[in-house]
Amino acid sequence: MRSIARWVVSRLRRYRPDRNPLRRRSDRIEAALVVAALAAVLLAVWPAAMIARTMYDGGVRAERVGPGARQLVEATVIQDPSAVQANGRGLLLTSPARWTLPSGEVREGMVPVALLLRDGPANARLWVDAEGRPAAAPPQRAETVTRAWLAAFGVVSAAAVLAWAGFALGRHRLDRRRYREWEAAWAAADRRWRRHHI
């Protein structure tokens, strides 16, 4: 822990604005790049919060059950499942089934086996949407919260990666400039020293 604190203090000293005559222009530009990178990451928090809120609200809407939303109904499996082609992405096991909506209407169709909650060989339960079509089970609150946090983390992480990449590129260019300046300074010093020794 002490080494991390030492590292943070050294970075603060390195990039703090001051009137140190030994600080080169490139050092000041590098400090400005650090401030810009940190500002970019901090500014990304607002869009991340907005995206997380949108994801959370959508998840809460998807969690709703009851009239006008998803409902769990009784279903009867008519025959054993069979494999069908699913949008060219492989085989999907489906089974013909009959289910009764809360309104009393009876529907029949092919239902993906993954959506059937089996209670026995022929008896099952099935989630249906507001239109009475088979649907996936509603997400749990923990899943909704997790998705919202992951969305926010993704946005902030992307901003941090882009900010770090921009800083790294800027620093690389500044380092190349510093090396040229050092070489020119050493060459000038070498010429002066040779003159004094002759």
Side-chain angles (χ1 to χ4, degrees):
M1 188 70 180
R2 193 174 285 176
S3 61
I4 293 172
R6 213 176 293 142
W7 182 84
V8 169
V9 168
S10 72
R11 288 298 170 253
L12 288 174
R13 281 186 187 151
R14 179 175 183 171
Y15 295 124
R16 74 173 182 226
D18 61 12
R19 298 186 182 278
N20 186 340
L22 297 178
R23 206 175 285 275
R24 300 165 290 190
R25 181 172 181 264
S26 59
D27 296 331
R28 289 186 173 79
I29 293 172
E30 185 176 339
L33 287 175
V34 168
V35 170
L38 288 175
V41 174
L42 290 175
L43 288 174
V45 171
W46 182 78
M50 296 299 290
I51 289 170
R53 181 65 190 194
T54 302
M55 293 284 290
Y56 181 78
D57 290 344
V60 168
R61 279 193 302 275
E63 287 175 26
R64 287 193 195 122
V65 295
R70 289 181 215 203
Q71 298 186 68
L72 193 59
V73 297
E74 298 294 325
T76 303
V77 179
I78 298 170
Q79 70 182 53
D80 290 338
S82 58
V84 295
Q85 190 73 23
N87 299 333
R89 291 181 286 170
L91 297 177
L92 177 69
L93 279 178
T94 61
S95 187
R98 184 180 305 116
W99 60 95
T100 305
L101 299 178
S103 64
E105 181 186 347
V106 177
R107 298 250 182 118
E108 193 171 308
M110 298 297 285
V111 178
V113 172
L115 298 182
L116 291 168
L117 307 169
R118 295 271 189 159
D119 291 334
N123 297 330
R125 286 173 297 143
L126 174 68
W127 284 99
V128 293
D129 61 16
E131 283 80 37
R133 296 180 302 230
Q140 300 295 316
R141 182 55 53 99
E143 188 179 339
T144 299
V145 171
T146 302
R147 284 182 178 170
W149 275 107
L150 286 175
F153 179 76
V155 170
V156 173
S157 297
V161 167
L162 289 173
W164 178 83
F167 171 73
L169 179 64
R171 184 171 179 185
H172 175 70
R173 290 186 175 178
L174 288 172
D175 284 343
R176 286 175 52 191
R177 183 174 164 187
R178 287 174 186 135
Y179 294 145
R180 284 195 304 270
E181 288 172 358
W182 269 101
E183 286 171 8
W186 278 111
D190 186 47
R191 284 192 299 274
R192 275 196 309 271
W193 292 339
R194 283 178 192 224
R195 247 185 269 131
H196 289 301
H197 288 289
I198 293 173

